[in-house]
Amino acid sequence: MGSSISRLKSATRTSIAWAAHACSLHQFRLRGKVAILMYHRVLTREEVACQAVQPGMYVLDTVFAQQMAFVRETFTVLSFRQLLDLWQTGKWDKQARYCVVTFDDGWLDNYRHAYPVLKRLGLPATIFLPTDYVSTNQWFWPDRIAHLLRSARSAEQGIKHVQQIERVLLNLFGVAGESLGKALVNDERATDQLIDWCKELPKDQIEMLIAALAVELGVSVPVERVVVNWEEVREMSQGGISFGSHSCSHRIMTTISPSEVSQELEQSECVLQRAGIDYVPVFCYPNGNNDVAIQAQAKAHGYEAAVSVQMGVEGTHPRNRFALRRVGIHNDVTYSIPLFSLRLCGLLSRTK
């Protein structure tokens, strides 16, 4: 029943998308607005097949190329610096449709697959970097968890792994964790639930969980690099890509103390300013989590704006320059141009 409903929803969304695109709804709905696009990863089909990547975290390289060609034809594409300047000077064309392209996390595939497309089309973009990860082999903790659980879905070890995972999660989350453990081996969607639970935990508890899973399952996280290095950053900087801060450690700002927030804001900015790159003073909240106090801290540290993951577009005067709305783009809901344009219009959209 669930899969039938899902297919019906998908078919309905696709039909609406084609109808809206045929009448150029996006051209009217986005006039006088700026759509700040939020991407994470750009992957080939082969890469998706062999990685534990969440559906909301990627677009295919072929889909990205089509989207950027559409963006170039449909919008006045701005760098983030140009957007800030338009807001500052008030020279906003109310008949124009503006677009800014952004990427969170600084994935290596941004350099390998997205940058060549942007360079070929002459489009600017901004990548938000978690500076502690640049030029390292560190993996983000959600990807380490996803990798470990994907490895645990081995048919030969299935029952044994269920028991091992249940034991680890029971110690951390109690009975609810034990129940989730049963689902994790058979249902990839349960991985997303576990990751969401972990977002509320202190970093040391998350690391304890990962270490326990690795020991129980006898699996280790690969050491291959997944984030850009400084040489790649500098090359992209010379090719029209600017860079903003995504903190140092990628910790969720609402789970740490004000002094730690201040340290993340200051140190990441300092690293980027000294890197000899096209730095733009815009902060990107890890996971989007922020509050009024954190926004005030970002402003006090000299940032000119900050982006959130709240769905929406901005206009002549942003509602809150330190919680700018963006349009999250991922493959499962934007794999065709009609679906992409429908997403930009804000219709039938999910939060991320």
Side-chain angles (χ1 to χ4, degrees):
M1 176 65 74
S3 60
S4 298
I5 293 175
S6 179
R7 286 195 296 270
L8 178 60
K9 287 182 177 179
S10 178
T12 301
R13 184 171 60 245
T14 299
S15 298
I16 294 173
W18 278 99
H21 187 65
C23 65
S24 301
L25 178 64
H26 58 280
Q27 294 189 17
F28 301 101
R29 193 173 178 88
L30 297 172
R31 185 173 294 158
K33 305 292 185 182
V34 57
I36 305 175
L37 307 186
M38 175 179 64
Y39 289 93
H40 285 84
R41 308 195 65 178
V42 179
L43 300 169
T44 65
R45 289 189 182 277
E46 293 74 20
E47 288 169 334
V48 172
C50 69
Q51 296 184 32
V53 56
Q54 294 174 279
M57 286 291 291
Y58 76 93
V59 294
L60 291 173
D61 58 339
T62 52
V63 171
F64 178 75
Q66 293 169 358
Q67 290 174 350
M68 289 301 98
F70 174 79
V71 163
R72 187 187 184 199
E73 293 176 359
T74 309
F75 293 90
T76 298
V77 185
L78 305 173
S79 68
F80 223 116
R81 178 73 267 168
Q82 290 173 319
L83 174 61
L84 295 175
D85 289 344
L86 279 182
W87 279 332
Q88 182 68 30
T89 62
K91 295 180 179 179
W92 193 273
D93 183 351
K94 293 184 179 180
Q95 297 303 309
R97 292 179 297 273
Y98 295 113
C99 183
V100 174
V101 181
T102 70
F103 298 83
D104 292 6
D105 303 332
W107 294 95
L108 179 56
D109 52 71
N110 294 176
Y111 171 75
R112 289 177 173 169
H113 304 314
Y115 174 56
V117 173
L118 295 166
K119 187 175 181 180
R120 174 170 53 82
L121 295 176
L123 297 178
T126 296
I127 298 176
F128 294 106
L129 296 176
T131 54
D132 285 353
Y133 286 79
V134 180
S135 289
T136 75
N137 291 333
Q138 289 188 71
W139 283 33
F140 300 107
W141 66 258
D143 299 280
R144 286 186 280 154
I145 289 176
H147 174 80
L148 292 171
L149 294 176
R150 187 174 191 265
S151 301
R153 294 190 182 103
S154 159
E156 299 82 5
Q157 298 287 331
I159 300 301
K160 179 182 177 183
H161 283 165
V162 168
Q163 297 170 344
Q164 293 166 325
I165 294 171
E166 284 177 356
R167 185 162 55 247
V168 172
L169 298 185
L170 176 63
N171 291 335
L172 189 58
F173 297 110
V175 176
E178 185 179 23
S179 299
L180 181 61
K182 290 182 171 66
L184 282 167
V185 170
N186 301 311
D187 187 353
E188 290 187 8
R189 292 173 297 181
T191 299
D192 294 342
Q193 183 177 347
L194 175 59
I195 289 171
D196 284 340
W197 284 7
C198 288
K199 288 176 181 178
E200 304 299 322
L201 297 178
K203 185 178 180 181
D204 60 343
Q205 287 192 20
I206 297 173
E207 293 299 333
M208 287 173 59
L209 168 64
I210 293 172
L213 284 173
V215 169
E216 290 284 356
L217 300 173
V219 178
S220 60
V221 176
V223 295
E224 63 187 82
R225 182 168 60 90
V226 295
V227 175
V228 291
N229 62 31
W230 288 114
E231 182 179 347
E232 291 155 351
V233 168
R234 293 186 183 97
E235 178 185 339
M236 288 190 284
S237 183
Q238 294 175 355
I241 309 300
S242 59
F243 296 87
S245 171
H246 201 25
S247 80
C248 296
S249 66
H250 202 261
R251 288 182 293 173
I252 294 175
M253 298 288 101
T254 52
T255 67
I256 60 179
S257 69
S259 62
E260 290 174 309
V261 170
S262 181
Q263 186 177 43
E264 294 278 353
L265 290 164
E266 182 177 349
Q267 291 188 359
S268 60
E269 181 181 41
C270 189
V271 169
L272 292 169
Q273 286 177 331
R274 294 175 179 175
I277 60 176
D278 185 3
Y279 167 69
V280 60
V282 178
F283 189 76
C284 176
Y285 305 108
N287 199 55
N289 296 53
N290 69 91
D291 55 32
V292 174
I294 293 170
Q295 293 171 21
Q297 283 184 272
K299 185 175 182 179
H301 278 279
Y303 290 93
E304 295 182 27
V307 295
S308 71
V309 297
Q310 184 178 357
M311 182 73 184
V313 297
E314 298 290 352
T316 310
H317 304 287
R319 183 179 59 180
N320 182 346
R321 193 171 293 202
F322 286 87
L324 295 174
R325 291 168 291 184
R326 292 190 290 175
V327 182
I329 306 299
H330 37 95
N331 211 79
D332 58 344
V333 294
T334 64
Y335 56 82
S336 70
I337 292 303
L339 284 170
F340 179 62
S341 64
L342 188 71
R343 180 79 169 173
L344 297 180
C345 290
L347 302 177
L348 304 181
S349 294
R350 300 192 303 215
T351 301
K352 290 187 179 181

